[in-house]
Amino acid sequence: MACTAVVENLLFSAVLLGWGSLLIMLKSEGFYSYLCHHTEDLNSENSTNSSGPGSETQDEAMSKINGRPTCKEQDEMLNLAFTVGSFLLSAITLPLGIIMDKYGPRKLRLLGSACFAVSCLMIAHGASNPDSLSVLIFIALALNGFGGMCMTFTSLTLPNMFGDLRSTFIALMIGSYASSAVTFPGIKV
């Protein structure tokens, strides 16, 4: 049981901590790439009228990943979605403690697992038509943060079963939580 809890924490608890790799994946899927279309027009004007140190060339202002444009506006929207998700990852701890005391870890774990699964489905659905469904990333990352923290919280009661090795298993659970940042780079490879 402890092994599965460590694997669950590693794969699902705080995957938002690996934001750098997730950001590249979201850009390659085209989330909020429609924000970059107006930049193409500005860049063509700047490349023809470039005079002075303050002007940008087209390569500096916008690049492409998998044939989809990327730009500063896209980065800002995706980073805002990350901020919402990571805020929930941290801010939900006190309410989750109260809920777990009232309803127990099983119900909270089921709720967290369901939220995480729905977040993955929302990301996949948003990738099917990113021009109109990019807004789903906000809800998906919020559910991802909430679900991941639910799974982490319910895993922290497990070390109480191990008596003298309790501290070791608590360290293992916390270590697997912090190491979950490698989930997206691992998927990317």
Side-chain angles (χ1 to χ4, degrees):
M1 191 162 28
C3 292
T4 59
V6 169
V7 170
E8 285 175 352
N9 274 343
L10 185 63
L11 295 178
F12 306 117
S13 62
V15 293
L16 287 178
L17 298 179
W19 177 248
S21 294
L22 179 60
L23 180 64
I24 293 169
M25 286 186 227
L26 293 174
K27 284 181 177 182
S28 70
E29 291 297 326
F31 281 91
Y32 287 108
S33 62
Y34 65 86
L35 294 174
C36 301
H37 292 298
H38 76 279
T39 311
E40 292 174 358
D41 299 332
L42 293 174
N43 287 336
S44 62
E45 290 176 14
N46 283 343
S47 62
T48 57
N49 298 331
S50 59
S51 59
S55 62
E56 295 181 22
T57 65
Q58 189 170 1
D59 293 334
E60 292 171 344
M62 187 177 68
S63 61
K64 291 191 177 210
I65 296 177
N66 283 350
R68 298 181 188 262
T70 63
C71 60
K72 180 182 169 199
E73 290 84 3
Q74 180 189 29
D75 281 341
E76 289 173 354
M77 286 301 280
L78 290 172
N79 285 330
L80 181 60
F82 165 72
T83 302
V84 169
S86 62
F87 170 76
L88 274 178
L89 190 66
S90 301
I92 201 71
T93 55
L94 178 63
L96 282 182
I98 295 167
I99 291 169
M100 193 161 90
D101 287 340
K102 186 170 183 173
Y103 297 107
R106 179 177 288 172
K107 291 180 182 176
L108 190 61
R109 190 170 201 74
L110 288 172
L111 176 66
S113 298
C115 286
F116 191 87
V118 168
S119 79
C120 292
L121 291 173
M122 289 179 86
I123 292 172
H125 183 63
S128 68
N129 187 3
D131 288 339
S132 62
L133 297 174
S134 288
V135 73
L136 289 179
I137 199 69
F138 280 90
I139 301 165
L141 292 181
L143 287 173
N144 191 296
F146 175 77
M149 190 50 71
C150 285
M151 288 192 271
T152 301
F153 250 61
T154 56
S155 296
L156 291 178
T157 60
L158 186 64
N160 291 331
M161 298 171 49
F162 293 99
D164 292 339
L165 296 174
R166 193 175 111 196
S167 297
T168 303
F169 279 99
I170 288 174
L172 197 58
M173 295 297 162
I174 292 171
S176 64
Y177 167 79
S179 298
S180 66
V182 302
T183 300
F184 285 126
I187 291 172
K188 195 172 106 178
V189 171

